[in-house]
Amino acid sequence: PGCGVFIGSDGILGNVGKLIVDSIERIDRQCFYEMMDVKSVCPRFQQLSAPQKSRFWVWVFASIAQVESSCRQRVEAQGINGTADGLFQLEYSHALRRAAGRDPELCRTGGPADSTDVTFQVECAISIFRDHHCRGDQVRSLVFRGGYWQKLNGPHRAISRLVRQFPGCQQ
């Protein structure tokens, strides 16, 4: 039920969904819409219209949030390297974010941040995708096994199975 802030069953974007689309456009549109390989979970991605592609990315982030936090903005858990919190279960500690090589501005590695702030959560998550999947000469698949979200790392993992359900993705 909490995932309606991403996208409703009618396909209308919620507040978080709109923030995701705006942030992708600002941070690295080319990575998400042109470079990243998503065909293992959405074989028809290239045939989707521009608005459908935007909704697909909102669906991806909603799928992550569903598995990681049940779409609750203020939830924390013990992660592999320390406390993780928020919709996407990001590193809580700025020192952990810095040690992981996160974007210093978008993931605020220089000092404490309000990790419950949805803008922080969205921007940091988008920058993690950009950095893992579209940096340098190597463009990686959405389900790249070395990515941050373990339940997305592979085409048959829990998050990947949710992403695959996006309308229009399958043949």
Side-chain angles (χ1 to χ4, degrees):
C3 292
V5 298
F6 287 88
I7 190 168
S9 59
D10 55 4
I12 304 282
L13 297 181
N15 291 340
V16 175
K18 290 174 187 173
L19 178 61
I20 289 168
V21 171
D22 292 345
S23 297
I24 286 173
E25 291 287 331
R26 189 173 28 79
I27 293 169
D28 196 338
R29 182 188 194 293
Q30 185 178 11
C31 172
F32 289 86
Y33 292 98
E34 299 168 27
M35 295 172 64
M36 199 182 317
D37 176 9
V38 301
K39 64 182 164 276
S40 63
V41 291
C42 188
R44 297 192 65 240
F45 181 77
Q46 292 306 324
Q47 284 80 42
L48 299 177
S49 68
Q52 287 174 311
K53 287 179 180 180
S54 293
R55 286 192 297 277
F56 169 80
W57 283 111
V58 171
W59 186 279
V60 168
F61 284 98
S63 297
I64 293 169
Q66 173 59 41
V67 171
E68 295 290 342
S69 68
S70 299
C71 293
R72 292 176 297 160
Q73 187 176 336
R74 299 183 196 291
V75 64
E76 67 179 50
Q78 186 59 37
I80 292 173
N81 296 316
T83 302
D85 72 345
L87 292 165
F88 311 111
Q89 291 296 286
L90 304 173
E91 298 105 348
Y92 172 75
S93 163
H94 70 280
L96 284 176
R97 293 191 300 269
R98 183 175 50 248
R102 303 288 176 241
D103 184 290
E105 290 180 33
L106 298 172
C107 291
R108 301 187 196 44
T109 61
D114 178 3
S115 62
T116 64
D117 176 66
V118 73
T119 300
F120 165 79
Q121 293 176 31
V122 166
E123 289 179 347
C124 186
I126 288 170
S127 74
I128 290 171
F129 262 94
R130 177 201 62 202
D131 294 347
H132 279 270
H133 300 284
C134 298
R135 281 289 185 215
D137 295 337
Q138 189 173 20
V139 177
R140 296 183 174 126
S141 165
L142 174 66
V143 295
F144 165 64
R145 293 204 184 271
Y148 180 74
W149 292 277
Q150 292 180 355
K151 295 173 185 173
L152 177 63
N153 298 343
H156 304 293
R157 304 297 302 261
I159 296 170
S160 301
R161 286 192 309 268
L162 288 175
V163 171
R164 188 175 281 110
Q165 294 174 28
F166 181 77
C169 275
Q170 303 309 315
Q171 306 283 5

